[in-house]
Amino acid sequence: MKTKKRITCICAVLALSLLATGCGKEIEVKNGSKVAVSVTGEKITATEYYEKIKEDNISKLVDMIDTGMLAKKYKETDEENDYVNKQIEQIKSYYGSNEETYLSVIKSYFGASSEEDLKVKLRLDYKRNKAIEDYITSHLTDKEINDYYKDSITGEIKASHILITADVKSDANEEEKAKAEQAALKKAQNIIKKLDKGEDFAKLAKSNSKDEGSATNGGDLGYFQPNTMVEEFKDAVIKLEVNKYTKEPVKTQFGYHIILKTGEKEKPELKEVKDTIKETLKNQKLNSDPALRYKTLISVREENKISWNDDTLKKAYDDYMNRLIENSQQTTQA
């Protein structure tokens, strides 16, 4: 019911014109508009107030629009309640239990006047995220899904690796770091030469690999989905034939890898992994475009047939969304 009332009053600033009623006062009119406030003979109408603040308060209007629009589709759930409660718990744990500090923080960083107000904002944030994810997922094309299935989905792969890392001291300068990096690369290349001469991969892994978890097992990583690995490792292991190893060290954020592919299971059917592919593609799109969140919300509102009866408000909305998009892109570039 609260949501319906807020939407009904989507231009709530005009409601100030009702202040002259409800107390038995006669409604005063100036230039065809109800007077909201009078002081020392000056009269301010609701229309004048509305015209003055409508551009400055466009973000509040957008919040009202989204609150009403999304409440129809996304009813309150246990998942939403958990999200809200965890966010509040996290804020309180970070800033301590002092009530005054807590209220000051949520006002400064979230624009919330109270914890209840903060909950309203967090619920809107949760519903917006749901709407964004659902919109992107529902607009994925069959080509995108099929291409990803063809190029990136394999059966589970079994592999072993030898990880070589640069031996760098915490206080090393750039020149020392570069030398250590070069030494690690050289060591990895020498291990590949030993493999070329027929030395045993497992023995080399036990004596050289810096991945302690797999080194004791001769570098064996067992079976895994390639997508669970970092990009460079994933690409390299997919290309390898079974019982073949990489002829050049594979550089990742962890160091240099020599990878031996030891097995590969049959590729699953598309229907078995379709939901996983959609989830992956959705996340890829969101991660690759920091402005996509705002662009998607614009599209969601358009699909819900948003219309503007005030050109100034429409321009304020367009300018506001463009600022959000530009700021998100600049933040990422920085």
Side-chain angles (χ1 to χ4, degrees), residues 24 39 42 49 60 144 154 177 182 193 198 200 205 220 242 248 258 262 269 280 291 304 312 324 326 328:
V39 58
E42 293 297 322
Y49 177 68
K60 290 183 175 58
E144 287 177 298
T154 67
K177 290 178 182 178
Q182 188 61 34
K193 290 179 182 178
D200 184 68
D220 184 22
V242 175
E248 292 292 334
I258 302 99
T262 56
E269 294 184 14
T280 301
N304 280 271
T312 304
L324 291 176
E326 290 171 8
S328 66

Side-chain angles (χ1 to χ4, degrees), residues 74 79 128-141 144-145 148 273-290 292-293 296:
Y74 301 102
E79 183 180 291
R128 277 174 169 161
N129 288 335
K130 290 284 289 182
I132 290 165
E133 293 178 357
D134 287 351
Y135 182 91
I136 294 172
T137 302
S138 66
H139 285 75
L140 291 171
T141 66
E144 287 177 298
I145 295 169
Y148 188 90
V273 292
K274 194 168 186 177
D275 288 343
T276 301
I277 292 174
K278 287 182 177 181
E279 181 74 11
T280 301
L281 289 173
K282 176 203 71 180
N283 290 332
Q284 285 182 352
K285 287 175 180 287
L286 285 169
N287 292 332
S288 64
D289 184 359
L292 185 58
R293 169 183 171 82
T296 302

Side-chain angles (χ1 to χ4, degrees), residues 149-177:
Y149 175 76
K150 176 184 175 183
D151 299 334
S152 300
I153 295 296
T154 67
E156 286 189 331
I157 287 175
K158 187 178 183 183
S160 298
H161 81 138
I162 301 170
L163 174 64
I164 306 300
T165 58
D167 185 12
V168 182
K169 296 180 180 179
S170 59
D171 59 348
N173 58 37
E174 291 303 315
E175 183 179 352
E176 290 170 332
K177 290 178 182 178

Side-chain angles (χ1 to χ4, degrees), residues 38-291:
S38 298
V39 58
T40 61
E42 293 297 322
K43 303 182 189 301
I44 301 173
T45 69
T47 299
E48 290 170 332
Y49 177 68
Y50 168 71
E51 291 296 330
K52 185 70 176 176
I53 73 166
K54 62 183 177 182
E55 292 183 59
D56 295 335
N57 287 270
I58 189 64
S59 64
K60 290 183 175 58
L61 179 58
V62 172
D63 286 351
M64 293 172 71
I65 292 168
D66 288 354
T67 296
M69 175 182 71
L70 300 177
K72 296 176 181 178
K73 183 174 181 180
Y74 301 102
K75 305 302 181 183
E76 187 175 311
T77 62
D78 290 339
E79 183 180 291
E80 178 181 318
N81 291 330
D82 287 343
Y83 170 83
V84 171
N85 292 331
K86 285 177 181 178
Q87 292 296 314
I88 291 176
E89 287 173 10
Q90 188 174 3
I91 295 168
K92 285 183 174 179
S93 66
Y94 188 81
Y95 290 102
S97 58
N98 184 281
E99 184 72 10
E100 186 175 342
T101 301
Y102 170 63
L103 291 174
S104 175
V105 166
I106 65 174
K107 183 173 182 60
S108 299
Y109 290 95
F110 299 94
S113 58
S114 65
E115 185 171 292
E116 285 306 309
D117 188 27
L118 177 60
K119 287 182 178 180
V120 171
K121 293 178 181 298
L122 290 173
R123 290 189 186 282
L124 176 57
D125 185 52
Y126 175 87
K127 285 182 169 65
R128 277 174 169 161
N129 288 335
K130 290 284 289 182
I132 290 165
E133 293 178 357
D134 287 351
Y135 182 91
I136 294 172
T137 302
S138 66
H139 285 75
L140 291 171
T141 66
D142 288 340
K143 184 179 186 309
E144 287 177 298
I145 295 169
N146 290 329
D147 285 351
Y148 188 90
Y149 175 76
K150 176 184 175 183
D151 299 334
S152 300
I153 295 296
T154 67
E156 286 189 331
I157 287 175
K158 187 178 183 183
S160 298
H161 81 138
I162 301 170
L163 174 64
I164 306 300
T165 58
D167 185 12
V168 182
K169 296 180 180 179
S170 59
D171 59 348
N173 58 37
E174 291 303 315
E175 183 179 352
E176 290 170 332
K177 290 178 182 178
K179 286 183 178 179
E181 190 77 14
Q182 188 61 34
L185 174 59
K186 187 70 174 176
K187 183 176 180 178
Q189 291 170 334
N190 286 335
I191 290 173
I192 291 174
K193 290 179 182 178
K194 291 180 180 181
L195 290 170
D196 290 340
K197 292 177 181 179
E199 292 196 33
D200 184 68
F201 191 98
K203 289 182 179 179
L204 289 170
K206 287 179 180 179
S207 59
N208 292 280
S209 182
K210 294 298 183 181
D211 179 6
E212 297 179 0
S214 66
T216 55
N217 296 319
D220 184 22
L221 297 169
Y223 276 100
F224 56 86
Q225 282 289 348
N227 287 333
T228 62
M229 299 297 186
V230 291
E231 194 74 16
E232 300 89 348
F233 193 104
K234 180 199 78 172
D235 291 343
V237 78
I238 286 176
K239 292 175 184 176
L240 280 173
E241 295 179 19
V242 175
N243 296 324
K244 299 292 184 180
Y245 56 86
T246 51
K247 293 299 184 177
E248 292 292 334
V250 178
K251 179 71 168 67
T252 74
Q253 66 198 67
F254 302 108
Y256 294 95
H257 306 257
I258 302 99
I259 306 170
L260 170 65
K261 188 172 186 176
T262 56
E264 183 172 355
K265 294 182 179 179
E266 187 176 346
K267 183 173 180 173
E269 294 184 14
L270 175 59
K271 63 182 180 181
E272 297 175 29
V273 292
K274 194 168 186 177
D275 288 343
T276 301
I277 292 174
K278 287 182 177 181
E279 181 74 11
T280 301
L281 289 173
K282 176 203 71 180
N283 290 332
Q284 285 182 352
K285 287 175 180 287
L286 285 169
N287 292 332
S288 64
D289 184 359

